[in-house]
Amino acid sequence: MIALPPPKPEVLARREAIVAALRAIVPGEGVISAPVELKPYETDGLTAYRQPPLAVVLPTSTGQVAAVMRYCHANGIRVVPRGAGTSLSGGALPLADAVVIGLMRMNRILEVDYDNRLAVVEAGVTNLGITAAVAERGFFYAPDPSSQLACMIGGNVMMNSGGAHCLKYGVTANNLLGVKFVTVEGEVVEIGGRHLDAAGYDWLGLITGSEGQLGIVTEVTVRILPSPEGARAMLAAFRSIEVAGAAVAAIIGSGIIPVALEFMDRPCIHACEAFAHAGYPLDAEAMLIIEVEGSEAEQDMLLGRIRAICGRFDPISLRVARTAEESAAIWKGRKGAFGAVGRISPDYLCMDGTIPTSELPRVLGRIGEMSRAYGLQVANVFHAGDGNLHPLILFDANDPESTRKAEAFGADILRLCVEVGGCLTGEHGVGVEKRDLMGVQFLPHELAQQRRIKGAFDPDWLLNPSKVFPLEGEGAAPAPAARAA
Amino acid sequence: MSAALLAPDSEEEVARAVAAAAAAGEPLAIEGNGTKRALLRPVQAARTLSTRNLRGITLYRPQELVLSARAGTPLPEIEAALAEKGQHLIAEPPDTRALFGAELPATLGGVVAANLSGPRRIAWGAMRDHVLGVRFVNGAGEVIRSGGRVLKNVTGLDLCKLLTGSYGTLGVLTEITLKVLPAPESTGSLALRVADLAAGVRALSAGLGSPFGPTGAALLPQGAPAFGLEGPTAVLRIEDFAEPVAYRLGRLRDLLAPLGAPRLLDAESSRALWRMVREAGLLGATAAEAVWRVSVPPTAGPAVADALRAAFAARLLLDWGGGLVWVAGPATEAAHAAVMAAARAGGGTWTLFRAPEPLRAAVEVLPPEPPPLAAIAARVKAALDPKGVLNPGRMRAGA
Ligand SMILES: Cc1cc2nc3c(=O)[nH]c(=O)nc-3n(C[C@H](O)[C@H](O)[C@H](O)COP(=O)(O)OP(=O)(O)OC[C@H]3O[C@@H](n4cnc5c(N)ncnc54)[C@H](O)[C@@H]3O)c2cc1C
Ligand SMILES: Cc1cc2nc3c(=O)[nH]c(=O)nc-3n(C[C@H](O)[C@H](O)[C@H](O)COP(=O)(O)OP(=O)(O)OC[C@H]3O[C@@H](n4cnc5c(N)ncnc54)[C@H](O)[C@@H]3O)c2cc1C
């Protein structure tokens, strides 16, 4: 387990006064301090870590967020921002001496501007809520993480979340125009706006994916896009991982960029098939789901070409959807993949490294060896177009030895991703989970450089501390004692 | 000049040169091929550090859509390597040789440091959206890496985006990894004569709000006589495989029918026209004049244009659906004030892109930041360049 910094005793001692001060800023139900009511906030999507916070505050306006920040800053109180709490890396995990600022009550869509193709929404609007608001006019918000029903746009910005369609449409960072940003001192600034490419430094780019380290986002201006005329998927199953990988390379090499290109290995195919009965070929070592967009004729043309390419790789089966229903049937197993794996194992860890796509056979081979050595099963889902690998490690959380092994196995996989030229995290973020592995990817002076930039926004390290950056090392967070309020 | 020009041919030497400058407290002007020396503010430095000798493509994996090259690699060299594999640079950065009267082509480092994107920005994102990884030397002379060579990466703070568009004030880029894409098999455009700029933006919005995916949406206030386009003209471009290009141009033509009968530009004339849009060649700016870039929400573009034409003899080109307004005009403080006012009224931002030195030295070349952000900016600059030796004064006086 990963260490959290010791709480500041002087803050813990002032708990009642802090809660009273927060109540003066956010009246009514907006401040939570009773231990039983804090329970839902003690963890996020990485449920192995739990820690109730000092208090939770649920502001309803940017003004309230700014006032809370001014108060916490003046009093040296740590702050953990929170959206829906679906982070899989422990990014929203509270600290014992921290106030959690939950953005979920800021859930209004403020404006939709179809002529300029943008929407202005509060940070607590869900990802799917944006698309739902613009769908009637034939628009959508492109990044579509699997958690899109629950996760919030503020959380998406802070994790730079991706989705199944990011090969074509990009990740969150590529779909933003501006944010309203509250600094650690409680100042409100507009970053970007309703236009492309703000002049000066790219603050929007730096803030996106910063995991709550630099400030709090209260409003987001996103680009919305017209929906394609239609989309259809096909399934291609192969005899080996190498062959499936070669087929992926051949598709990309032919000049086609599918909107989605998903890879599943044998254990994953079996788990999904048992769960969803999607008709997946159980004798395959690897399976691809490939989706294209456009008019009917364009879909036919692209699927025809991809089918022909896959045909050169001795496929076990090729299934091209003719209708939206057949397409949904192909996707059904993949969309339920995490749930399916959840049914065959009491618990699983979802890893999230990225590798150069050409390294897939080697990496999956090594993961297979590790799986045997650790005695833990693993199922692999892979965004094959962009190299983002999600190994699901099956373990039993009630067995401490199994848990310890699963964490060690996960860390070994991420080390392997870096070793072959990839990175520790493609979309789930560093959080607490990968914090202590940052030294695998970065040299000490590079981490020190990142810490100095964090410190430029948050000199006292009050914002979401103990995440992302290892606690030890050059330029580490100031020790609490040196920063007593 | 030669004694004052450092042009190392390795990253280690760049690091040594910057470390020495930091130790001596002697600022450096940073450049690639210096084609954009006329961009933004003149730098106050006795010596110039150029990355022009850091050359060469270091990794190119067409099937993984990634390319890495040293910062001084000339853009045409990269474009040629990509073309050989049927790929291209997504952001379509302009070749500004004509506009700046430069002989040498831009370097990759210069284009990234200036975050220059062309017409395709509207559909596929800016330069900064495709910078997957950077290596750079910070102001203390340390080599720092951020990002990597994979398409999806959220490990740590995204310094790639911070460095992109920082004009050499936060670090000296030594190597850059880009996402690249297959070049389209075919292209074509529709050119619609419009009554005025507002009608033009409506036409572009109709196209951009359709499922047909235009990758270029420009408005030429004077048309493009060389292409037989007279008067205000809205142009929409499609790029893709041949069959979908033909189909989508047909659907767009139907969509635009209530607004007029557009002319179809075939692949060849479409490519030539968009090259002129990309290079802002249609502005016809002379060396004595200034060039500004105003970025606003697209529907505000026409009002910005009207305000500027009322204020001075402004020549204009609108790209990005109407949201990017290129402006050429007299290099005077009065014209500059008009541009700032028009951009502000349009709810957007402006850059004094190019101007004779006296104007650039006299005025702000970028909009000032609100005080809380300016304070953060000063601390971020200090975090990367503690001695202030990199390109002092390039973006703002005293910074
Ligand atoms: C089943 C499941 C599937 C998932 N699938 C995907 C997927 O396909 N792709 C993907 O990228 N991710 C996925 N995730 C991860 C997760 O959903 C994303 O990271 C999501 O963006 C988190 O949003 P949230 O609102 O839940 O944020 P939280 O978990 O509440 O917070 C995430 C981080 O952002 C900070 N934060 C949140 N809101 C703000 C704010 N307004 N201002 C400042 N900081 C803030 C928090 O402190 C924390 O560090 C999945 C998670 C689950 C549980
Ligand atoms: C309409 C239009 C007008 C333009 N006007 C001009 C103009 O007036 N002048 C002009 O020069 N360009 C202009 N450009 C283009 C743009 O400046 C160039 O395409 C490109 O940036 C030049 O590359 P370079 O190698 O010559 O860069 P340089 O001119 O050498 O440098 C450009 C900027 O990048 C920085 N830089 C260069 N290399 C590095 C590096 N390795 N690391 C960090 N920072 C670096 C420099 O400090 C400088 O701030 C214009 C483009 C358009 C479309």
Side-chain angles (χ1 to χ4, degrees):
Chain A
M1 294 295 271
I2 277 173
L4 296 177
K8 299 181 183 182
E10 73 282 7
V11 170
L12 292 180
R14 287 189 354 257
R15 183 162 184 278
E16 310 248 304
I18 292 168
V19 168
L22 293 174
R23 289 224 158 92
I25 299 170
V26 181
E29 312 277 275
V31 177
I32 297 169
S33 64
V36 54
E37 290 169 30
L38 289 176
K39 265 234 154 252
Y41 298 93
E42 70 183 21
T43 187
D44 59 13
L46 186 71
T47 50
Y49 292 82
R50 290 176 188 275
Q51 171 61 59
L54 190 74
V56 174
V57 56
L58 306 174
T60 55
S61 69
T62 299
Q64 287 183 353
V65 172
V68 170
M69 286 311 303
R70 276 195 296 278
Y71 170 76
C72 290
H73 181 250
N75 291 279
I77 300 164
R78 291 164 168 161
V79 163
V80 177
R82 184 181 180 97
T86 66
S87 164
L88 291 170
S89 57
L93 177 74
L95 299 171
D97 61 353
V99 169
V100 166
I101 302 188
L103 280 298
M104 50 286 258
R105 292 208 298 175
M106 293 189 64
N107 57 3
R108 289 173 306 160
I109 302 225
L110 301 175
E111 189 190 343
V112 179
D113 177 347
Y114 291 103
D115 289 332
N116 290 310
R117 298 166 296 281
L118 60 87
V120 185
V121 305
E122 289 184 327
V125 171
T126 61
N127 174 290
L128 200 58
I130 303 178
T131 290
V134 300
E136 53 166 358
R137 289 276 301 266
F139 280 75
F140 73 115
Y141 172 63
D144 57 345
S146 322
S147 52
Q148 65 180 164
L149 196 60
C151 68
M152 295 169 183
I153 188 67
N156 290 177
V157 169
M158 283 297 158
M159 304 311 266
N160 192 13
S161 301
H165 296 93
C166 60
L167 186 54
K168 172 159 181 199
Y169 293 107
V171 294
T172 304
N174 313 119
N175 288 276
L176 300 179
L177 291 173
V179 294
K180 190 172 273 185
F181 182 76
V182 180
T183 68
V184 74
E185 293 92 359
E187 306 265 11
V188 180
V189 285
E190 300 280 352
I191 309 259
R194 303 157 68 93
H195 50 280
L196 295 168
D197 295 3
Y201 293 145
D202 185 6
W203 300 123
L204 187 58
L206 182 64
I207 288 166
T208 306
S210 65
E211 304 196 26
Q213 293 293 317
L214 306 183
I216 303 218
V217 163
T218 58
E219 283 177 29
V220 185
T221 304
V222 298
R223 299 184 82 184
I224 53 171
L225 302 176
S227 306
E229 285 181 87
R232 246 182 311 143
M234 65 173 282
L235 177 163
F238 301 94
R239 284 175 213 287
S240 76
I241 286 163
E242 285 78 6
V243 168
V248 169
I251 294 167
I252 303 279
S254 79
I256 298 174
I257 301 295
V259 276
L261 186 43
E262 297 283 298
F263 173 107
M264 294 158 69
D265 71 355
R266 184 185 183 92
C268 192
I269 297 169
H270 280 249
C272 291
E273 181 56 21
F275 176 63
H277 309 294
Y280 291 169
L282 295 175
D283 49 347
E285 285 301 321
M287 192 186 100
L288 301 176
I289 297 177
I290 308 154
E291 184 170 274
V292 301
E293 283 182 352
S295 66
E296 282 294 328
E298 183 171 351
Q299 295 168 31
D300 284 340
M301 178 200 76
L302 293 172
L303 290 172
R305 288 187 189 192
I306 295 170
R307 195 193 156 95
I309 292 169
C310 290
R312 301 205 308 259
F313 293 90
D314 187 23
I316 289 178
S317 77
L318 286 179
R319 200 165 106 206
V320 177
R322 280 159 305 182
T323 61
E325 292 69 43
E326 288 184 12
S327 215
I330 289 177
W331 271 112
K332 191 173 162 211
R334 167 62 185 91
K335 293 213 161 142
F338 292 3
V341 170
R343 291 190 5 152
I344 59 169
S345 165
D347 301 280
Y348 66 86
L349 267 186
C350 174
M351 307 310 294
D352 165 52
T354 308
I355 55 173
T357 49
S358 59
E359 297 286 346
L360 182 67
R362 178 150 75 105
V363 168
L364 291 190
R366 291 271 299 277
I367 290 178
E369 288 163 21
M370 292 178 196
S371 163
R372 286 185 288 281
Y374 279 105
L376 292 175
Q377 267 190 289
V378 62
N380 289 289
V381 188
F382 183 56
H383 303 300
D386 55 36
N388 193 188
L389 181 67
H390 292 310
L392 306 174
I393 301 172
L394 315 190
F395 73 107
D396 179 358
N398 290 325
D399 171 359
E401 181 58 12
S402 173
T403 306
R404 193 198 57 75
K405 278 188 182 168
E407 289 192 339
F409 185 1
D412 281 353
I413 291 176
L414 297 182
R415 280 190 200 97
L416 174 62
C417 290
V418 175
E419 182 191 313
V420 301
C423 64
L424 294 175
T425 169
E427 58 182 18
H428 294 169
V430 177
V432 285
E433 187 202 21
K434 282 152 255 173
R435 184 190 74 194
D436 292 351
L437 289 172
M438 286 289 272
V440 174
Q441 188 168 333
F442 295 106
L443 296 168
H445 75 279
E446 291 171 327
L447 284 172
Q449 177 68 83
Q450 292 196 31
R451 285 194 182 93
R452 287 199 299 276
I453 293 169
K454 146 83 173 171
F457 282 78
D458 178 17
D460 298 337
W461 285 66
L462 296 176
L463 278 163
N464 211 8
S466 80
K467 319 285 172 65
V468 184
F469 306 104
L471 300 186
E472 313 279 316
E474 213 183 314
R483 292 279 169 185
Chain B
M1 183 73 198
S2 61
L5 179 75
L6 308 169
D9 54 18
S10 73
E11 183 180 71
E12 304 81 78
E13 284 176 63
V14 172
R16 263 201 299 278
V18 175
E26 285 172 5
L28 293 169
I30 309 302
E31 66 177 38
N33 270 338
T35 66
K36 281 171 228 66
R37 242 172 249 156
L39 185 74
L40 304 186
R41 294 171 49 85
V43 172
Q44 303 303 325
R47 294 197 301 169
T48 294
L49 174 66
S50 168
T51 48
R52 67 182 54 169
N53 290 334
L54 298 181
R55 285 181 66 156
I57 294 170
T58 49
L59 174 127
Y60 179 28
R61 295 279 175 83
Q63 292 172 340
E64 294 178 10
L65 307 175
V66 295
L67 176 142
S68 309
R70 295 201 179 86
T73 312
L75 219 48
E77 188 176 321
I78 293 171
E79 289 176 324
L82 290 169
E84 216 170 280
K85 301 285 180 195
Q87 298 193 327
H88 69 181
L89 288 176
I90 306 169
E92 211 179 1
D95 182 340
T96 46
R97 271 176 281 188
L99 192 82
F100 291 101
E103 277 164 33
L104 294 172
T107 61
L108 178 62
V111 167
V112 169
N115 187 23
L116 278 178
S117 318
R120 210 175 282 125
R121 164 61 180 115
I122 192 88
W124 284 98
M127 198 70 199
R128 58 83 112 165
D129 290 299
H130 308 119
V131 177
L132 301 174
V134 294
R135 294 177 68 97
F136 67 94
V137 174
N138 68 13
E142 295 171 316
V143 177
I144 308 282
R145 299 162 306 155
S146 183
R149 52 143 303 190
V150 287
L151 300 190
K152 235 160 126 196
N153 186 345
V154 295
T155 320
L157 295 177
D158 188 348
L159 306 190
C160 300
K161 292 204 175 62
L162 181 61
L163 267 285
T164 304
S166 68
Y167 297 101
T169 61
L170 299 179
V172 183
L173 294 163
T174 52
E175 189 171 338
I176 293 147
T177 301
L178 295 176
K179 176 180 177 181
V180 298
L181 277 181
E185 177 181 282
S186 181
T187 182
S189 296
L190 292 178
L192 179 73
R193 171 73 199 257
V194 289
D196 54 25
L197 298 183
V201 168
R202 277 197 297 279
L204 298 180
S205 290
L208 291 169
S210 79
F212 309 120
T215 65
L219 186 51
L220 322 175
Q222 269 81 46
F227 296 82
L229 303 172
E230 305 287 341
T233 307
V235 195
L236 286 163
R237 173 177 68 179
I238 302 286
E239 299 176 293
D240 212 306
F241 292 107
E243 295 114 304
V245 167
Y247 164 81
R248 290 193 223 153
L249 287 170
R251 293 298 303 269
L252 275 179
R253 181 198 290 266
D254 298 345
L255 192 76
L256 295 177
L259 306 170
R263 233 187 72 200
L264 179 69
L265 300 180
D266 66 12
E268 196 183 329
S269 36
S270 181
R271 285 199 185 96
L273 178 68
W274 285 99
R275 202 170 306 123
M276 292 193 71
V277 173
R278 167 186 186 178
E279 290 162 16
L282 294 163
L283 283 178
T286 66
E289 287 181 306
V291 175
W292 294 266
R293 242 167 78 118
V294 174
S295 182
V296 290
T299 53
V304 168
D306 291 346
L308 293 177
R309 287 201 285 210
F312 59 94
R315 290 193 308 290
L316 305 163
L317 170 63
L318 283 71
D319 197 356
W320 299 355
L324 175 67
V325 187
W326 286 105
V327 188
T332 62
E333 295 198 26
H336 186 61
V339 171
M340 294 192 292
R344 220 172 289 127
T349 180
W350 50 271
T351 310
L352 173 56
F353 202 70
R354 191 205 73 182
E357 189 153 333
L359 181 63
R360 294 190 291 133
V363 300
E364 306 238 38
V365 298
L366 298 170
E369 291 178 315
L373 208 50
I376 290 172
R379 296 199 295 260
V380 167
K381 167 79 175 165
L384 280 144
D385 180 18
K387 295 275 162 39
V389 293
L390 302 177
N391 261 356
R394 181 80 165 148
M395 296 176 74
R396 302 173 196 285

